[in-house]
Amino acid sequence: MATTQEVLVPDIGTTDEVDVIDVMINPGDTITIDDSLITLESDKASMDVPSPIEGTVKSVAVKVGDKVKEGSLIIELEAQAEETKEDSVADVEKEEPAAVVEEQPTASTSATQEVLVPDIGTEEAVDVIEVSVKVGDDIVVDDALITLESDKASMDVPAPMAGTVKEVLVNVGDKVKTNAPIVLLATSAAPSAEKAPEKPASKEVPVTEKPTQPEPAVTTSAAAPDNGDVHAGPAVRRLARELGVDLHRVSGNGRKGRITLENVHQFVKAVMQQAGGGISGGLGLNLPKPPVIDFNKFGETTVEPLSKIKKISGANLQRNWITIPHVTQFDEADITDLEEFRKNNKALAEKQGFKLTPLVFIMKAVVATLKAFPTVNASLDASGENLILKNYYHIGVAVDTPNGLVVPVIRDVDQKSFMDLAKELGEVSLKARDKGLSLTDMQGASFTISSLGGISGIGFTPIVNMPEVAILGVSRSSMKPVYQNNEFVPRLMLPLSFSYDHRVIDGAQAARFTKHLGLMLSDLRRILL
Ligand code: CAO
């Protein structure tokens, strides 16, 4: 049977009137015990008023901006005489305070309360990963005391009452179980009944859960943002006020979308990362941090620091990969005749002390193609609005060294013979592997070639070497049946992978580029035309 009950403002620790800054319910809402009804704010603190009973809201007697005091009517509630509350997902999400042991209760003066770890849903000890309070802190109801982390989830333990922290009984790194003491609180009054449930549950927040990507919104004006109408508890509002966070910009992942302390912390962290670089390198991206994993849990490990080259080239590769919209065009070039020519002249090169590999022919064919497609031999200027076309043909060649990838530059490739190039390529590769390259040796390329042809593979997606706008990847050639003049003939085919900056080069242009390059490679005499 339904009965109508009035819910009044409880003892709020002052006889003064306080402001109603948030009303979370509407007539017709079905609420459960401890659902926040309104938020009150005095000069010193703000606090949520939770519902002591469950039922359906018949009428709401207050609105934002009203002033109320202890005993003021908040709502009329149609309550069910018989409780039929079922265990549901909402129960798991319910934000409940920690358990309390009253040490020296007095009627209305001061008392010391021991706050215990609530029922954390496991008998195992879990880690204390954060202690949010220190001795002397004045805390209000729902302020986070500590954060616990198990294998599956992390959870804040909120304060069940207001008071001053007399002693903190746990440290970061401790392991605690349900009912372990957390803090001793000096309180001015005994805890109110509605804030000391018999078997409290903790709110679980999945470890992987992140707020949705926020826009930068840390308020820089002197005035605090008006957070009155958002769904957040007093501790969260206080933190937001301190940090100047506009809570309208923060996504809440608490019960009914309520904003939690963690949501505010994550939001501020994301904004700071955007402003200061962080993992996204100042690119305005809110990328999640890579997980920190102790691999020793799974087996024996050895730590090997990355080489200096890997660290430097890694940062550049990451920037280029993220900032350049890449597309890779794959194609094949028939190099049967080229290979015959190369083999015929290989011994000549060897006599002079160097190797004549397909790469030098590819370099020459690339330069002839760049001349036909000048926008590929180019860079975007700093504004990103102009293309700088280069009238020189300096080709960067990716060289694999024991310490990592380096890209020495062979200058004026258009003005050098195949033999000159073969000799120079041999020399710079050696210099690169002996760590003998200077900074100048690696500057000024207008286009880069990365050849894995000496190793293996049928294609890959090379990363454009900024400020260039394209790069050619070359894989290992192989004999393939090619349909020519009504029959299949064996031809030596060279796989080409042409990655380009789509802001500068479009797909059709890329396809024409690789087609033209294929023509050059299939008959080197075309280079001279
Ligand atoms: N198809 C078939 N065979 C090829 C080939 C290809 N595309 N390219 C080279 N070869 C052959 C060569 O002819 C040579 O064989 P022979 O000795 O019988 O003539 C053999 O493979 C080894 O060549 P090489 O690799 O020593 O010489 P190269 O001129 O082709 O390359 C260099 C020089 C410095 C580019 C290369 O040694 C190198 O470091 N490549 C790796 C570049 C790299 O790591 N790129 C990845 C960047 S993205 O991470």
Side-chain angles (χ1 to χ4, degrees):
M1 212 184 74
T3 57
T4 301
Q5 298 202 15
E6 289 185 337
V7 178
L8 310 179
V9 173
D11 178 1
I12 48 177
T14 171
T15 50
D16 294 341
E17 287 192 318
V18 295
D19 293 319
V20 176
I21 61 162
D22 195 5
V23 177
M24 288 102 156
I25 31 81
N26 290 303
D29 282 359
T30 304
I31 57 172
T32 57
I33 292 172
D34 274 346
D35 271 359
S36 293
L37 301 175
I38 57 174
T39 305
L40 303 176
E41 190 167 59
S42 69
D43 286 351
K44 298 196 187 74
S46 59
M47 67 205 84
D48 276 4
V49 178
S51 177
I53 45 175
E54 62 186 20
T56 306
V57 178
K58 269 186 78 176
S59 64
V60 180
V62 290
K63 58 183 187 313
V64 172
D66 282 358
K67 286 193 177 291
V68 293
K69 57 183 183 179
E70 183 182 349
S72 300
L73 177 66
I74 305 174
I75 53 167
E76 282 188 323
L77 200 69
E78 201 149 83
Q80 291 300 320
E82 210 172 297
E83 287 191 6
T84 53
K85 200 170 76 172
E86 283 175 15
D87 196 20
S88 68
V89 177
D91 288 339
V92 177
E93 291 176 351
K94 188 177 289 179
E95 190 172 335
E96 303 267 14
V100 175
V101 171
E102 198 174 333
E103 279 195 340
Q104 305 154 1
T106 57
S108 61
T109 51
S110 81
T112 300
Q113 309 277 342
E114 192 175 46
V115 181
L116 309 181
V117 173
D119 181 356
I120 49 177
T122 170
E123 293 191 351
E124 309 269 302
V126 297
D127 294 319
V128 176
I129 60 162
E130 199 174 319
V131 176
S132 315
V133 290
K134 58 183 186 320
V135 172
D137 280 358
D138 287 326
I139 57 169
V140 295
V141 174
D142 276 347
D143 269 2
L145 299 175
I146 56 172
T147 307
L148 302 175
E149 189 170 63
S150 69
D151 284 352
K152 299 197 189 77
S154 66
M155 64 202 86
D156 281 353
V157 178
M161 72 203 77
T164 305
V165 178
K166 273 184 77 176
E167 200 176 336
V168 180
L169 305 166
V170 289
N171 294 306
V172 171
D174 284 357
K175 285 192 175 291
V176 293
K177 289 182 174 181
T178 298
N179 285 334
I182 304 170
V183 291
L184 284 182
L185 273 188
T187 59
S188 56
S192 58
E194 68 270 23
K195 273 295 165 189
E198 288 195 342
K199 195 189 173 200
S202 56
K203 180 194 65 171
E204 294 210 342
V205 180
V207 173
T208 51
E209 202 168 340
K210 295 275 182 276
T212 54
Q213 184 173 331
E215 296 165 40
V218 169
T219 308
T220 48
S221 72
D226 179 6
N227 287 322
D229 58 345
V230 292
H231 192 16
V236 171
R237 289 172 189 284
R238 195 169 62 174
L239 181 67
R241 261 200 310 276
E242 279 168 14
L243 299 176
V245 172
D246 179 356
L247 288 176
H248 295 94
R249 310 286 183 104
V250 182
S251 299
N253 65 359
R255 180 169 41 113
K256 292 187 181 172
R258 197 169 194 255
I259 298 169
T260 64
L261 284 169
E262 192 191 346
N263 294 151
V264 178
H265 286 304
Q266 292 278 10
F267 175 82
V268 172
K269 202 192 275 181
V271 172
M272 295 303 289
Q273 280 175 346
Q274 282 182 23
I279 191 153
S280 58
L283 303 172
L285 302 174
N286 178 22
L287 300 179
K289 278 196 167 177
V292 180
I293 298 170
D294 176 12
F295 295 101
N296 287 310
K297 280 199 296 198
F298 311 115
E300 206 177 294
T301 60
T302 313
V303 176
E304 192 180 291
L306 286 182
S307 69
K308 204 171 163 198
I309 290 179
K310 277 220 163 105
K311 282 191 214 158
I312 295 169
S313 63
N316 289 335
L317 287 167
Q318 186 181 21
R319 179 203 55 200
N320 299 351
W321 180 248
I322 292 172
T323 57
I324 298 174
H326 280 76
V327 180
T328 304
Q329 168 76 14
F330 298 102
D331 212 334
E332 279 183 324
D334 184 338
I335 59 163
T336 317
D337 297 339
L338 183 157
E339 184 60 6
E340 197 185 332
F341 179 70
R342 185 184 76 87
K343 277 186 177 155
N344 289 340
N345 290 283
K346 215 173 137 191
L348 191 66
E350 272 160 15
K351 255 190 221 159
Q352 297 173 57
F354 49 84
K355 275 196 328 190
L356 189 62
T357 66
L359 190 51
V360 290
F361 301 99
I362 296 167
M363 288 167 75
K364 282 297 244 187
V366 160
V367 168
T369 311
L370 289 174
K371 285 186 174 174
F373 294 84
T375 52
V376 181
N377 196 51
S379 288
L380 276 171
D381 75 359
S383 73
E385 291 179 5
N386 304 296
L387 205 52
I388 300 166
L389 306 176
K390 295 159 192 176
N391 299 324
Y392 52 86
Y393 300 91
H394 302 338
I395 304 296
V397 178
V399 176
D400 174 38
T401 79
N403 294 306
L405 187 70
V406 287
V407 187
V409 179
I410 310 231
R411 279 160 216 280
D412 301 313
V413 171
D414 56 323
Q415 294 164 35
K416 292 175 180 165
S417 71
F418 295 122
M419 287 300 188
D420 287 344
L421 288 174
K423 186 165 179 282
E424 194 172 338
L425 186 61
E427 284 166 0
V428 290
S429 308
L430 206 65
K431 215 168 157 187
R433 285 168 185 144
D434 287 348
K435 298 189 195 168
L437 289 175
S438 69
L439 209 57
T440 332
D441 290 332
M442 293 185 279
Q443 284 174 342
S446 54
F447 185 85
T448 293
I449 301 175
S450 175
S451 173
L452 293 172
I455 308 169
S456 176
I458 55 169
F460 60 109
T461 54
I463 297 176
V464 173
N465 197 13
M466 194 184 262
E468 295 151 42
V469 294
I471 181 169
L472 179 72
V474 179
S475 298
R476 192 162 182 83
S477 59
S478 62
M479 292 302 290
K480 285 190 173 177
V482 176
Y483 199 63
Q484 278 178 355
N485 303 323
N486 297 327
E487 59 174 346
F488 281 106
V489 287
R491 305 293 294 177
L492 186 66
M493 304 303 288
L494 178 75
L496 304 172
S497 309
F498 176 67
S499 292
Y500 56 93
D501 184 337
H502 210 337
R503 294 171 300 179
V504 177
I505 298 162
D506 58 34
Q509 201 185 359
R512 288 189 194 105
F513 183 91
T514 55
K515 183 181 175 194
H516 190 95
L517 178 58
L519 282 174
M520 298 291 121
L521 288 166
S522 64
D523 187 349
L524 281 173
R525 291 171 303 180
R526 290 201 176 99
I527 292 175
L528 304 170
L529 292 175

PDB file of all heavy atoms in Angstrom, residues 502-524:
ATOM      1  N   HIS A 502      48.034  13.231 -48.251  1.00  0.00           N
ATOM      2  CA  HIS A 502      46.818  13.434 -49.043  1.00  0.00           C
ATOM      3  C   HIS A 502      46.363  14.894 -49.071  1.00  0.00           C
ATOM      4  O   HIS A 502      45.510  15.284 -49.852  1.00  0.00           O
ATOM      5  CB  HIS A 502      45.693  12.545 -48.492  1.00  0.00           C
ATOM      6  CG  HIS A 502      44.712  12.105 -49.537  1.00  0.00           C
ATOM      7  ND1 HIS A 502      44.523  12.785 -50.721  1.00  0.00           N
ATOM      8  CD2 HIS A 502      43.858  11.067 -49.578  1.00  0.00           C
ATOM      9  CE1 HIS A 502      43.587  12.181 -51.434  1.00  0.00           C
ATOM     10  NE2 HIS A 502      43.173  11.125 -50.765  1.00  0.00           N
ATOM     11  N   ARG A 503      46.960  15.725 -48.207  1.00  0.00           N
ATOM     12  CA  ARG A 503      46.625  17.155 -48.277  1.00  0.00           C
ATOM     13  C   ARG A 503      47.217  17.781 -49.531  1.00  0.00           C
ATOM     14  O   ARG A 503      46.747  18.797 -50.015  1.00  0.00           O
ATOM     15  CB  ARG A 503      47.181  17.898 -47.053  1.00  0.00           C
ATOM     16  CG  ARG A 503      46.542  17.505 -45.745  1.00  0.00           C
ATOM     17  CD  ARG A 503      47.282  18.102 -44.585  1.00  0.00           C
ATOM     18  NE  ARG A 503      48.678  17.663 -44.534  1.00  0.00           N
ATOM     19  CZ  ARG A 503      49.549  18.065 -43.614  1.00  0.00           C
ATOM     20  NH1 ARG A 503      49.180  18.917 -42.684  1.00  0.00           N
ATOM     21  NH2 ARG A 503      50.787  17.619 -43.622  1.00  0.00           N
ATOM     22  N   VAL A 504      48.294  17.156 -50.024  1.00  0.00           N
ATOM     23  CA  VAL A 504      49.026  17.739 -51.153  1.00  0.00           C
ATOM     24  C   VAL A 504      48.798  16.934 -52.434  1.00  0.00           C
ATOM     25  O   VAL A 504      48.678  17.494 -53.531  1.00  0.00           O
ATOM     26  CB  VAL A 504      50.548  17.780 -50.820  1.00  0.00           C
ATOM     27  CG1 VAL A 504      51.354  18.316 -51.994  1.00  0.00           C
ATOM     28  CG2 VAL A 504      50.785  18.619 -49.569  1.00  0.00           C
ATOM     29  N   ILE A 505      48.779  15.634 -52.296  1.00  0.00           N
ATOM     30  CA  ILE A 505      48.701  14.761 -53.479  1.00  0.00           C
ATOM     31  C   ILE A 505      47.381  13.993 -53.416  1.00  0.00           C
ATOM     32  O   ILE A 505      47.038  13.442 -52.360  1.00  0.00           O
ATOM     33  CB  ILE A 505      49.892  13.775 -53.474  1.00  0.00           C
ATOM     34  CG1 ILE A 505      51.204  14.570 -53.551  1.00  0.00           C
ATOM     35  CG2 ILE A 505      49.793  12.761 -54.607  1.00  0.00           C
ATOM     36  CD1 ILE A 505      52.415  13.785 -53.131  1.00  0.00           C
ATOM     37  N   ASP A 506      46.666  13.962 -54.521  1.00  0.00           N
ATOM     38  CA  ASP A 506      45.436  13.169 -54.486  1.00  0.00           C
ATOM     39  C   ASP A 506      45.672  11.790 -55.107  1.00  0.00           C
ATOM     40  O   ASP A 506      46.715  11.522 -55.704  1.00  0.00           O
ATOM     41  CB  ASP A 506      44.239  13.914 -55.092  1.00  0.00           C
ATOM     42  CG  ASP A 506      44.485  14.323 -56.522  1.00  0.00           C
ATOM     43  OD1 ASP A 506      45.173  13.562 -57.221  1.00  0.00           O
ATOM     44  OD2 ASP A 506      44.001  15.395 -56.934  1.00  0.00           O
ATOM     45  N   GLY A 507      44.709  10.921 -54.952  1.00  0.00           N
ATOM     46  CA  GLY A 507      44.868   9.518 -55.339  1.00  0.00           C
ATOM     47  C   GLY A 507      45.185   9.328 -56.810  1.00  0.00           C
ATOM     48  O   GLY A 507      46.044   8.510 -57.181  1.00  0.00           O
ATOM     49  N   ALA A 508      44.518  10.094 -57.669  1.00  0.00           N
ATOM     50  CA  ALA A 508      44.733   9.941 -59.109  1.00  0.00           C
ATOM     51  C   ALA A 508      46.168  10.326 -59.466  1.00  0.00           C
ATOM     52  O   ALA A 508      46.838   9.647 -60.259  1.00  0.00           O
ATOM     53  CB  ALA A 508      43.734  10.819 -59.868  1.00  0.00           C
ATOM     54  N   GLN A 509      46.627  11.395 -58.814  1.00  0.00           N
ATOM     55  CA  GLN A 509      48.001  11.854 -59.067  1.00  0.00           C
ATOM     56  C   GLN A 509      49.004  10.784 -58.601  1.00  0.00           C
ATOM     57  O   GLN A 509      50.008  10.522 -59.281  1.00  0.00           O
ATOM     58  CB  GLN A 509      48.209  13.152 -58.291  1.00  0.00           C
ATOM     59  CG  GLN A 509      49.333  14.018 -58.785  1.00  0.00           C
ATOM     60  CD  GLN A 509      49.534  15.227 -57.879  1.00  0.00           C
ATOM     61  OE1 GLN A 509      48.819  15.421 -56.895  1.00  0.00           O
ATOM     62  NE2 GLN A 509      50.523  16.029 -58.223  1.00  0.00           N
ATOM     63  N   ALA A 510      48.708  10.173 -57.471  1.00  0.00           N
ATOM     64  CA  ALA A 510      49.595   9.133 -56.950  1.00  0.00           C
ATOM     65  C   ALA A 510      49.639   7.938 -57.902  1.00  0.00           C
ATOM     66  O   ALA A 510      50.710   7.368 -58.172  1.00  0.00           O
ATOM     67  CB  ALA A 510      49.116   8.691 -55.572  1.00  0.00           C
ATOM     68  N   ALA A 511      48.486   7.560 -58.418  1.00  0.00           N
ATOM     69  CA  ALA A 511      48.434   6.419 -59.347  1.00  0.00           C
ATOM     70  C   ALA A 511      49.207   6.749 -60.630  1.00  0.00           C
ATOM     71  O   ALA A 511      49.923   5.899 -61.171  1.00  0.00           O
ATOM     72  CB  ALA A 511      46.982   6.086 -59.671  1.00  0.00           C
ATOM     73  N   ARG A 512      49.078   8.003 -61.082  1.00  0.00           N
ATOM     74  CA  ARG A 512      49.839   8.404 -62.294  1.00  0.00           C
ATOM     75  C   ARG A 512      51.337   8.424 -62.000  1.00  0.00           C
ATOM     76  O   ARG A 512      52.153   8.067 -62.848  1.00  0.00           O
ATOM     77  CB  ARG A 512      49.391   9.804 -62.768  1.00  0.00           C
ATOM     78  CG  ARG A 512      48.020   9.782 -63.392  1.00  0.00           C
ATOM     79  CD  ARG A 512      47.659  11.101 -64.055  1.00  0.00           C
ATOM     80  NE  ARG A 512      46.232  11.099 -64.312  1.00  0.00           N
ATOM     81  CZ  ARG A 512      45.334  11.787 -63.620  1.00  0.00           C
ATOM     82  NH1 ARG A 512      45.710  12.597 -62.645  1.00  0.00           N
ATOM     83  NH2 ARG A 512      44.062  11.691 -63.913  1.00  0.00           N
ATOM     84  N   PHE A 513      51.690   8.825 -60.777  1.00  0.00           N
ATOM     85  CA  PHE A 513      53.113   8.884 -60.397  1.00  0.00           C
ATOM     86  C   PHE A 513      53.729   7.488 -60.463  1.00  0.00           C
ATOM     87  O   PHE A 513      54.786   7.281 -61.072  1.00  0.00           O
ATOM     88  CB  PHE A 513      53.243   9.470 -58.975  1.00  0.00           C
ATOM     89  CG  PHE A 513      54.663   9.642 -58.513  1.00  0.00           C
ATOM     90  CD1 PHE A 513      55.347  10.838 -58.723  1.00  0.00           C
ATOM     91  CD2 PHE A 513      55.348   8.607 -57.867  1.00  0.00           C
ATOM     92  CE1 PHE A 513      56.672  11.003 -58.303  1.00  0.00           C
ATOM     93  CE2 PHE A 513      56.659   8.756 -57.449  1.00  0.00           C
ATOM     94  CZ  PHE A 513      57.320   9.957 -57.670  1.00  0.00           C
ATOM     95  N   THR A 514      53.074   6.513 -59.835  1.00  0.00           N
ATOM     96  CA  THR A 514      53.672   5.168 -59.814  1.00  0.00           C
ATOM     97  C   THR A 514      53.642   4.529 -61.212  1.00  0.00           C
ATOM     98  O   THR A 514      54.536   3.767 -61.575  1.00  0.00           O
ATOM     99  CB  THR A 514      52.969   4.246 -58.794  1.00  0.00           C
ATOM    100  OG1 THR A 514      51.572   4.224 -59.066  1.00  0.00           O
ATOM    101  CG2 THR A 514      53.205   4.692 -57.377  1.00  0.00           C
ATOM    102  N   LYS A 515      52.629   4.892 -61.990  1.00  0.00           N
ATOM    103  CA  LYS A 515      52.575   4.359 -63.363  1.00  0.00           C
ATOM    104  C   LYS A 515      53.762   4.910 -64.168  1.00  0.00           C
ATOM    105  O   LYS A 515      54.459   4.172 -64.872  1.00  0.00           O
ATOM    106  CB  LYS A 515      51.244   4.784 -64.009  1.00  0.00           C
ATOM    107  CG  LYS A 515      51.045   4.220 -65.398  1.00  0.00           C
ATOM    108  CD  LYS A 515      49.747   4.694 -65.997  1.00  0.00           C
ATOM    109  CE  LYS A 515      49.657   4.198 -67.441  1.00  0.00           C
ATOM    110  NZ  LYS A 515      48.604   4.884 -68.170  1.00  0.00           N
ATOM    111  N   HIS A 516      53.996   6.217 -64.028  1.00  0.00           N
ATOM    112  CA  HIS A 516      55.104   6.862 -64.733  1.00  0.00           C
ATOM    113  C   HIS A 516      56.445   6.267 -64.283  1.00  0.00           C
ATOM    114  O   HIS A 516      57.306   5.956 -65.106  1.00  0.00           O
ATOM    115  CB  HIS A 516      55.067   8.375 -64.440  1.00  0.00           C
ATOM    116  CG  HIS A 516      55.990   9.172 -65.292  1.00  0.00           C
ATOM    117  ND1 HIS A 516      55.590   9.794 -66.458  1.00  0.00           N
ATOM    118  CD2 HIS A 516      57.313   9.449 -65.179  1.00  0.00           C
ATOM    119  CE1 HIS A 516      56.608  10.423 -67.005  1.00  0.00           C
ATOM    120  NE2 HIS A 516      57.683  10.218 -66.237  1.00  0.00           N
ATOM    121  N   LEU A 517      56.570   6.056 -62.971  1.00  0.00           N
ATOM    122  CA  LEU A 517      57.797   5.471 -62.441  1.00  0.00           C
ATOM    123  C   LEU A 517      58.010   4.067 -63.014  1.00  0.00           C
ATOM    124  O   LEU A 517      59.134   3.694 -63.393  1.00  0.00           O
ATOM    125  CB  LEU A 517      57.706   5.420 -60.905  1.00  0.00           C
ATOM    126  CG  LEU A 517      58.860   4.792 -60.150  1.00  0.00           C
ATOM    127  CD1 LEU A 517      60.175   5.512 -60.451  1.00  0.00           C
ATOM    128  CD2 LEU A 517      58.599   4.814 -58.641  1.00  0.00           C
ATOM    129  N   GLY A 518      56.923   3.320 -63.105  1.00  0.00           N
ATOM    130  CA  GLY A 518      57.001   1.965 -63.680  1.00  0.00           C
ATOM    131  C   GLY A 518      57.488   2.017 -65.122  1.00  0.00           C
ATOM    132  O   GLY A 518      58.309   1.180 -65.539  1.00  0.00           O
ATOM    133  N   LEU A 519      57.011   2.990 -65.868  1.00  0.00           N
ATOM    134  CA  LEU A 519      57.448   3.130 -67.267  1.00  0.00           C
ATOM    135  C   LEU A 519      58.937   3.429 -67.344  1.00  0.00           C
ATOM    136  O   LEU A 519      59.664   2.870 -68.174  1.00  0.00           O
ATOM    137  CB  LEU A 519      56.668   4.269 -67.947  1.00  0.00           C
ATOM    138  CG  LEU A 519      55.236   3.947 -68.383  1.00  0.00           C
ATOM    139  CD1 LEU A 519      54.551   5.196 -68.904  1.00  0.00           C
ATOM    140  CD2 LEU A 519      55.255   2.851 -69.451  1.00  0.00           C
ATOM    141  N   MET A 520      59.401   4.304 -66.463  1.00  0.00           N
ATOM    142  CA  MET A 520      60.837   4.657 -66.429  1.00  0.00           C
ATOM    143  C   MET A 520      61.680   3.422 -66.106  1.00  0.00           C
ATOM    144  O   MET A 520      62.710   3.170 -66.726  1.00  0.00           O
ATOM    145  CB  MET A 520      61.123   5.720 -65.348  1.00  0.00           C
ATOM    146  CG  MET A 520      60.437   7.037 -65.531  1.00  0.00           C
ATOM    147  SD  MET A 520      61.093   7.950 -66.932  1.00  0.00           S
ATOM    148  CE  MET A 520      59.630   8.119 -67.904  1.00  0.00           C
ATOM    149  N   LEU A 521      61.203   2.641 -65.145  1.00  0.00           N
ATOM    150  CA  LEU A 521      61.978   1.475 -64.710  1.00  0.00           C
ATOM    151  C   LEU A 521      61.943   0.354 -65.750  1.00  0.00           C
ATOM    152  O   LEU A 521      62.905  -0.424 -65.871  1.00  0.00           O
ATOM    153  CB  LEU A 521      61.431   0.953 -63.373  1.00  0.00           C
ATOM    154  CG  LEU A 521      61.724   1.832 -62.158  1.00  0.00           C
ATOM    155  CD1 LEU A 521      60.857   1.421 -60.963  1.00  0.00           C
ATOM    156  CD2 LEU A 521      63.202   1.758 -61.778  1.00  0.00           C
ATOM    157  N   SER A 522      60.849   0.303 -66.491  1.00  0.00           N
ATOM    158  CA  SER A 522      60.755  -0.793 -67.464  1.00  0.00           C
ATOM    159  C   SER A 522      61.649  -0.535 -68.682  1.00  0.00           C
ATOM    160  O   SER A 522      62.055  -1.468 -69.380  1.00  0.00           O
ATOM    161  CB  SER A 522      59.302  -0.998 -67.898  1.00  0.00           C
ATOM    162  OG  SER A 522      58.849   0.155 -68.569  1.00  0.00           O
ATOM    163  N   ASP A 523      61.960   0.732 -68.946  1.00  0.00           N
ATOM    164  CA  ASP A 523      62.876   1.055 -70.041  1.00  0.00           C
ATOM    165  C   ASP A 523      63.655   2.308 -69.656  1.00  0.00           C
ATOM    166  O   ASP A 523      63.170   3.437 -69.806  1.00  0.00           O
ATOM    167  CB  ASP A 523      62.096   1.283 -71.341  1.00  0.00           C
ATOM    168  CG  ASP A 523      63.043   1.455 -72.530  1.00  0.00           C
ATOM    169  OD1 ASP A 523      64.263   1.615 -72.304  1.00  0.00           O
ATOM    170  OD2 ASP A 523      62.550   1.429 -73.670  1.00  0.00           O
ATOM    171  N   LEU A 524      64.861   2.083 -69.111  1.00  0.00           N
ATOM    172  CA  LEU A 524      65.634   3.201 -68.553  1.00  0.00           C
ATOM    173  C   LEU A 524      65.960   4.287 -69.576  1.00  0.00           C
ATOM    174  O   LEU A 524      66.259   5.424 -69.218  1.00  0.00           O
ATOM    175  CB  LEU A 524      66.937   2.666 -67.945  1.00  0.00           C
ATOM    176  CG  LEU A 524      66.801   2.020 -66.553  1.00  0.00           C
ATOM    177  CD1 LEU A 524      68.116   1.381 -66.141  1.00  0.00           C
ATOM    178  CD2 LEU A 524      66.353   3.041 -65.523  1.00  0.00           C
TER     179      LEU A 524
END
